[in-house]
Amino acid sequence: MSAPAHIDPRLLRAFLAVAEELHFTRAAARLYVAQQALSRDVRRLERELGAELFVRTTRQVTLTADGERLVPHARRVLAAQDALIAAFGQVRPLLVDLNSPGLRTGRRVLHRARELAPDLELMARYESGLTGAAAEVLAGRLDASFGRYAGLAPALRAGLDHQLVRLEPMAVVLPEEHRLARLDAVPLAELAGESVYAGAGNPRTPEWTGLARELFDGRGIEVASPAPLAVGDEEFQRIMAKTRNPILAVVDFPAMPSTVLRPLIDPVPMSPVSLVWRKGLVHPGIDALRQAANELSAAEGWLRRPAEGWISAIDKSAMNVHK
């Protein structure tokens, strides 16, 4: 086997679970991860080592000679990692950006992670946009965030890992007096001729503006011109009250005074939300977040794609790559 410069301990944990269970489904359940994700990690380890570790048939999974040779090394590496963490006593707090206090997906994952790892300190932060948060994650001032990973610039993605958590249905926030406010759900075609606010000009949220441009393309919907950059919910609500533009949002967007939130339909546009963290980061809080995300995604059906749903071409491509 060739010797890579670095091996992510998570890949070794995935390998060892399969090596001990000799069954991908049981190993995935043991690690609280999706079977697809586990298989992907094992394939990545095989690529990095330049060796086949398992023989897979429809009936059984067995270790190759290289797989047998790797088992004791993997056990020693993971034991040393656990001992190192224990030797330094209390693990430092993990700083987790939730984007905005009112958004529910990241908050629910964080709360579940706190239940799974009550001895860890998982601290919430609010950076208002994944692009802005990603720069902080890469600089080490944040550890993790949530948002549209595929919409990040390639230079940012190169230093990050991610796990898809939810395909979140999108919605529109309308002034109470708007002509579409009386509808229970707003067909996309009804927004033709409207200028919809989607964060244009905000340097922290270009991934969201890019998603809006893809969604609106060919539908006669305009992305509203940049508004003064608002900091904080109160200022954002004040600026939006002045412009009176509809606002592109998600179905869990927090309530705003004198507005109504309506889901978008025909088709239902989906906003992919990923848990994003710095490549190579080893922290039990990341493990807890990933486990919490897997549990909630499975229990809530967060990754189901509706038959009449819309996913941007860029996001679809990213999801196919990470299957």
Side-chain angles (χ1 to χ4, degrees), residues 148 170 188 196-200 205-217 219 221-224 248 310 312 315:
R148 186 187 173 225
M170 296 167 73
L188 272 169
V196 178
Y197 179 78
T205 61
E207 75 283 350
W208 181 252
T209 307
L211 180 61
R213 293 192 192 282
E214 284 194 74
L215 177 61
F216 297 166
D217 185 41
R219 291 189 164 94
I221 310 169
E222 297 292 329
V223 173
L248 186 66
W310 174 92
S312 87
D315 293 310

Side-chain angles (χ1 to χ4, degrees), residues 18-284:
V18 179
E20 292 173 351
E21 297 288 346
L22 293 179
H23 196 284
F24 275 82
T25 301
R26 289 198 298 269
R30 170 173 150 183
L31 294 176
Y32 297 98
V33 300
Q35 186 175 334
Q36 273 189 338
L38 178 67
S39 298
R40 186 170 63 242
D41 282 348
V42 170
R43 287 196 300 271
R44 179 179 159 190
L45 181 62
E46 289 178 322
R47 286 195 303 271
E48 291 187 4
L49 292 175
E52 186 179 19
L53 302 174
F54 296 101
V55 176
R56 307 160 178 84
T57 70
T58 55
R59 294 180 176 273
Q60 63 181 354
V61 176
T62 57
L63 282 160
T64 64
D66 281 332
E68 293 276 8
R69 191 151 59 97
L70 180 59
V71 168
H73 293 292
R75 284 179 175 149
R76 284 197 295 271
V77 169
L78 295 175
Q81 182 193 34
D82 292 341
L84 175 63
I85 291 173
F88 278 81
Q90 185 175 359
V91 177
R92 70 167 177 84
L94 192 80
L95 304 182
V96 185
D97 168 53
L98 300 183
N99 190 279
S100 170
L103 296 178
R104 292 183 60 203
T105 299
R107 190 170 77 248
R108 288 192 62 191
V109 172
L110 176 61
H111 287 180
R112 178 58 184 146
R114 285 171 174 164
E115 292 172 350
L116 292 170
D119 294 334
L120 300 178
E121 190 57 77
L122 307 181
M123 303 286 294
R125 296 290 188 271
Y126 304 97
E127 286 295 319
S128 181
L130 182 58
T131 296
E136 296 295 293
V137 170
L138 291 174
R141 291 186 288 269
L142 280 174
D143 295 308
S145 187
F146 292 87
R148 186 187 173 225
Y149 172 83
L152 294 174
L156 292 175
R157 292 201 307 270
L160 300 169
D161 270 329
H162 84 110
Q163 174 179 323
L164 185 62
V165 175
R166 184 178 186 183
L167 296 173
E168 191 165 14
M170 296 167 73
V172 63
V173 177
L174 300 164
E176 287 177 335
E177 71 277 7
H178 193 279
R179 63 183 179 86
L180 300 176
R182 59 182 175 78
L183 300 178
D184 293 329
V186 175
L188 272 169
E190 292 293 332
L191 287 174
E194 297 277 355
S195 289
V196 178
Y197 179 78
N202 186 340
R204 292 177 171 271
T205 61
E207 75 283 350
W208 181 252
T209 307
L211 180 61
R213 293 192 192 282
E214 284 194 74
L215 177 61
F216 297 166
D217 185 41
R219 291 189 164 94
I221 310 169
E222 297 292 329
V223 173
S225 300
L229 186 58
V231 178
D233 291 347
E234 184 176 338
E235 277 297 279
F236 176 74
Q237 292 172 10
R238 185 182 67 81
I239 293 295
M240 291 299 100
K242 288 180 70 174
T243 66
R244 310 308 292 164
N245 287 123
I247 303 167
L248 186 66
V250 291
V251 291
D252 284 342
F253 195 77
M256 291 173 53
S258 303
T259 67
V260 296
L261 179 72
R262 297 291 183 256
L264 291 169
I265 57 172
D266 300 333
V268 176
M270 311 298 289
S271 168
V273 179
S274 287
L275 169 65
V276 180
W277 66 95
R278 191 167 54 260
K279 276 186 178 175
L281 174 62
V282 176
H283 191 292

